Amino acid sequence: MMTTMFTDRRQLREHQESRWRSVLASLLPGNKFYAEKLAGIDLAKARLSDLPFTTKAALLADQERYPPYGRMLSLPLERYSRLCQTSGTTTGRPLCWLDTPESWSAMLGCWEQMFRFIEMRNDDRLFFPFSFGPFLGFWTAFDYSTRNGYFTLPGGGMTSSARLRFLQAHRVTVVFCTPTYALHLAEVAVKEGIDLPASSVRMLIVAGEPGGSIPETRRRIEAAWGARVIDHSGMTEIGPMAIECWQARGGLHLLEADYLVEVIDPATGKEASSGQTGELVVTNLSRTGSPLLRYRTGDLAQLDNESCACGRIFARLRGGILGRVDEMIHLRGNNVYPGAIENLLRRFPEVTEYRVVVEETATLSNLRIEIEPVPSAVNSILVDRISKMIRDELLFRVEVVCVPPGSLPRYEMKAQRLIHTKGPASRAP
Ligand SMILES: [Zn+2]
């Protein structure tokens, strides 16, 4: 499964051009979803930018109309061996995704590259402290790890406290989880008198939320664990797609041999100008069982083509995934990203958990931040300091309220900290 190394952009571009053309050729006539979508386009002459975007809404509609797998299958159903499904948090309805053994193997090839990027060592002990669900999250990392001789520890069906004892007992060195769960484990460790920085954990690979690239969240995880945070990004329907390298913080290398990535202005669909924040659009080059062409991910990102300290030529996402297009909050003429609020709240060690409630009435949006302080905090002072910092740095006024310790939900997988309501929302219990 050794993947080609690319040393110059021109050679990479040629590889991408020939790959997406061959993916396109392999789609038809089997893939009825794309056969319909691409009808009338002269595929032999088309450039990638001539192809229409694919949206999650269209895939969901297709699966609804042709249940349960839709028509996004380039091959006969018996060729597929693996089912994943999205967590369905945004749309409510999960999207099913099937893979052939060849597609699965291509994703293991992505991890082969990423293990090199993060300088995984042969004697590392890899711990996955969560219950694997139907979504893709870290399944392929786990599979790559076991197949390639890394000591691999599953940690599903355990309490957080049992997981902490487990990671100590087995001298775990690398932990895979969401940023939120890394913080939660650290919180439990403090309560139980476990000295995490003294543990053998040296690295946490985090995904599923933007937190791994939010400077204050990352700083907090690294301090609590005494270990390096590596941010990773992937999606069930796309695959494992980007990771930070060991040598440089603050940007995720895109696996450009396996994914062709564009950044567009979400309003116009045109390519975003260089360095601008826009929506990430991805074309699969190696996961070919149900490959996506120009898929609008709904994620906001910024491309960084500058050279990296590690010497790799793959472009990076500056600051990781910056948020979701549909999570941008329009507030009295301001555009506010939840990531900016998180970065600010994480500066306060007194805040253990929080959520952002957006109340939308017919005429205006109102924003309330609910924080859960540590028991020793003086709530009124904390609220004043946070309100002032938001006013000074994000330039808007916001209602900040304290809720009782332990009243906000804790998350093992993707956290839902942004709540939209129509009309005044009910308070946290
Ligand atoms: Zn690098």
Side-chain angles (χ1 to χ4, degrees):
M1 188 181 0
M2 198 63 191
T3 40
T4 323
M5 302 272 272
F6 288 93
T7 49
D8 74 68
R9 298 284 308 173
R10 192 183 48 81
Q11 182 198 12
L12 176 65
R13 287 284 170 228
E14 282 168 11
H15 163 87
Q16 291 185 320
E17 178 74 17
S18 89
R19 282 306 307 163
W20 78 257
R21 289 202 175 274
S22 111
V23 167
L24 193 61
S26 73
L27 285 172
L28 308 176
N31 192 312
K32 300 280 183 279
F33 175 86
Y34 275 122
E36 193 175 290
K37 205 169 170 57
L38 302 174
I41 300 177
D42 182 352
L43 297 179
K45 290 197 188 127
R47 290 165 304 169
L48 187 71
S49 57
D50 296 332
L51 304 183
F53 293 117
T54 306
T55 61
K56 189 168 187 177
L59 296 169
L60 282 168
D62 183 61
Q63 294 195 350
E64 193 144 3
R65 197 158 164 215
Y66 302 93
Y69 308 124
R71 300 172 302 165
M72 246 303 278
L73 306 172
S74 300
L75 297 161
L77 189 57
E78 56 274 19
R79 293 279 301 275
Y80 295 80
S81 58
R82 189 83 193 208
L83 177 138
C84 286
Q85 144 174 323
T86 62
S87 44
T89 43
T90 327
T91 52
R93 211 174 150 264
L95 182 68
C96 283
W97 214 250
L98 300 187
D99 280 297
T100 61
E102 295 76 18
S103 283
W104 194 259
S105 173
M107 291 192 283
L108 301 190
C110 293
W111 279 105
E112 181 195 2
Q113 298 170 63
M114 290 190 285
F115 272 33
R116 284 203 304 269
F117 285 23
I118 61 177
E119 303 194 351
M120 193 74 86
R121 302 173 192 157
N122 290 334
D123 61 352
D124 269 320
R125 294 173 157 237
L126 284 54
F127 185 35
F128 297 78
F130 51 86
S131 298
F132 279 100
F135 41 89
L136 186 63
F138 288 138
W139 266 113
T140 46
F142 186 89
D143 209 1
Y144 177 77
S145 169
T146 53
R147 289 188 196 201
N148 288 279
Y150 294 91
F151 196 84
T152 312
L153 300 97
M158 299 166 94
T159 62
S160 295
S161 147
R163 284 172 180 148
L164 288 164
R165 291 194 298 272
F166 191 76
L167 78 81
Q168 284 184 307
H170 298 288
R171 301 191 312 281
V172 163
T173 60
V174 180
V175 174
F176 292 74
C177 62
T178 60
T180 297
Y181 195 59
L183 285 170
H184 178 61
L185 279 176
E187 198 187 333
V188 175
V190 169
K191 274 190 201 131
E192 309 213 342
I194 294 171
D195 185 1
L196 268 189
S199 76
S200 39
V201 176
R202 69 177 188 89
M203 172 159 80
L204 293 109
I205 296 162
V206 300
E209 304 159 356
S213 285
I214 295 176
E216 284 301 321
T217 304
R218 170 190 196 107
R219 191 194 54 72
R220 201 157 162 165
I221 299 171
E222 293 193 331
W225 284 79
R228 168 76 184 272
V229 166
I230 296 276
D231 193 17
H232 160 64
S233 172
M235 291 175 92
T236 292
E237 61 275 41
I238 288 287
M241 187 173 67
I243 200 158
E244 224 172 342
C245 64
W246 182 259
Q247 288 87 348
R249 287 162 184 264
L252 276 65
H253 281 289
L254 291 158
L255 302 179
E256 291 190 279
D258 297 86
Y259 305 92
L260 200 157
V261 173
E262 305 165 74
V263 173
I264 61 161
D265 176 337
T268 63
K270 301 268 180 262
E271 186 182 352
S273 38
S274 172
Q276 286 300 106
T277 300
E279 183 176 356
L280 206 57
V281 172
V282 182
T283 297
N284 282 115
L285 302 178
S286 63
R287 190 186 185 186
T288 53
S290 312
L292 286 166
L293 299 173
R294 306 196 80 203
Y295 182 58
R296 291 186 69 153
T297 61
D299 280 336
L300 291 167
Q302 211 179 79
L303 272 188
D304 177 3
N305 288 306
E306 282 168 30
S307 57
C308 180
C310 72
R312 293 186 180 89
I313 60 151
F314 289 164
R316 284 179 291 168
L317 299 177
R318 187 177 287 121
I321 300 295
L322 302 171
R324 301 275 309 159
V325 174
D326 57 7
E327 280 190 345
M328 192 166 71
I329 307 163
H330 306 280
L331 192 72
R332 298 185 286 273
N334 276 322
N335 289 336
V336 184
Y337 291 106
I341 297 174
E342 169 159 351
N343 191 35
L344 204 138
L345 290 175
R346 294 297 188 202
R347 289 186 208 165
F348 294 87
E350 304 94 321
V351 177
T352 54
E353 195 43 87
Y354 76 93
R355 67 176 194 176
V356 176
V357 181
V358 186
E359 297 165 350
E360 280 161 20
T361 63
T363 47
L364 57 97
S365 291
N366 193 36
L367 195 95
R368 185 173 75 242
I369 298 177
E370 298 177 345
I371 55 166
E372 199 185 294
V374 293
S376 60
V378 180
N379 293 0
S380 58
I381 297 177
L382 185 60
V383 163
D384 285 349
R385 285 169 58 215
I386 291 174
S387 308
K388 180 173 187 310
M389 191 174 277
I390 290 175
R391 205 172 58 232
D392 292 350
E393 298 202 16
L394 302 180
L395 310 175
F396 60 89
R397 285 171 194 279
V398 64
E399 183 192 4
V400 179
V401 295
C402 288
V403 299
S407 61
L408 293 178
R410 299 295 194 267
Y411 301 92
E412 185 174 310
M413 301 308 289
K414 276 180 204 288
Q416 267 306 80
R417 294 198 180 87
L418 179 66
I419 315 288
H420 277 273
T421 63
K422 301 278 177 208
S426 61
R427 305 279 161 132

